[in-house]
Amino acid sequence: MVWKGKQQPAAGAITCEEFRARAKAGELAPVLVFYGKEDTLISRAEEHVKKSVLGDRANDFNYELVYCEKGMGRQIAEAAATPAFGGGTKLVVARMAQELKDDDWAAIARYAARPMKGSCLLLTCPGSPPWGTGRLTEGRTAFKDAMKGRGALVEFNLLDERELADYIRREARKMGVTITENAIALLIDETGDSLSLLFTVLEQASLYIGKKQLDIGTMKTVLTNLRGYTVFEFAAALGQRELGKAMGMAEHMFRSRDGIPVAIANIARHFRLLVKVRDMLGRGMTTGQMVGAIHIQEQFLRAEYIPQARNFPA
């Protein structure tokens, strides 16, 4: 599915384009909340914030990553309020913020009202705003009030057709290739709104042609060779526990008996990786250590495999 019209952010929030423009101008709020349906864009924006705050210091003492659970609000606020080591800048990233409860938001609100100079607190969550879509409770109201004029709520919606086309052009330029409008239209038609799949196909296409123009003929060739990626989408749907979506994909894929062994092999591989990721999370391994152990690009590990692994507790 591709959205035909631009989706407007919720009241009080800005779009990812507005955030990108502000960040480019050096206007990075001390408290940020990233939420929305487009996990890939959230993941990339998080990387941008990390580079903006810490520069090239990948494993800096002044970087702290936590996965939110009930009762962690005070811990997150205290981490952000601790001065940066060596007098530099500091980043605290709190993922899965939808797990926080009202008392947690109240604790973070007290910090957001008086944030530490040189410190940036980033809270992220997939889907709806981390405080939900119903009536705001006292702690959540306090947090939203504290954010006014001090922080930024950034909503990452699914991209519409125009935004997808712009995204493809930007990514193609980064890969050193140009892409024709017909090739862009075909890529969008084949991948829908799955940015992770779109990026994978575009990356494979750029490797296939080298530093040249990517036209519709080349795109058709690459897509034909990569039809198996629908199997990866099917495995991801299972990992996300979206059974209705997975059943629809299965019906489409299994019309050809030849595709069944390939599908089973890829599903088995996908869930073996999820088990490994779940085990590594339990052992407290960092994302960088996981990347080295299972050889998956960090953006896909964070956006897809880690959230899916958390759907299947031991």
Side-chain angles (χ1 to χ4, degrees), residues 128-150:
S128 300
W131 44 80
T133 56
R135 186 177 62 85
L136 291 178
T137 50
E138 184 176 349
R140 292 163 169 81
T141 300
F143 176 76
K144 291 200 75 174
D145 288 342
M147 289 287 283
K148 294 175 182 176
R150 301 182 185 89

Side-chain angles (χ1 to χ4, degrees), residues 252-270:
H252 174 74
M253 288 190 301
F254 293 164
R255 288 173 185 167
S256 167
R257 289 183 178 273
D258 294 337
I260 295 177
V262 176
I264 292 174
N266 278 282
I267 293 166
R269 173 185 177 276
H270 187 80

Side-chain angles (χ1 to χ4, degrees), residues 201-216:
V201 174
L202 188 58
E203 185 177 49
Q204 291 295 318
S206 69
L207 293 173
Y208 181 79
I209 64 168
K211 307 295 182 180
K212 300 177 182 177
Q213 186 180 69
L214 178 55
D215 59 22
I216 191 168

Side-chain angles (χ1 to χ4, degrees), residues 5-67:
K6 186 177 182 65
Q7 295 176 288
Q8 296 301 318
I14 62 173
T15 65
C16 59
E17 291 90 348
E18 291 175 278
F19 167 75
R20 190 183 298 120
R22 292 184 186 185
K24 190 175 181 179
E27 301 173 6
L28 199 63
V31 183
L32 297 163
V33 178
F34 290 172
Y35 69 93
K37 298 177 181 177
E38 191 42 81
D39 292 345
T40 301
L41 291 181
I42 291 176
S43 176
R44 292 197 166 197
E46 182 184 318
E47 279 299 309
H48 181 84
V49 170
K50 185 176 180 181
K51 189 168 184 179
S52 296
V53 175
L54 302 177
D56 295 324
R57 297 166 291 167
N59 296 310
D60 198 278
F61 286 113
N62 290 324
Y63 173 66
E64 188 168 344
L65 171 65
V66 297
Y67 285 91

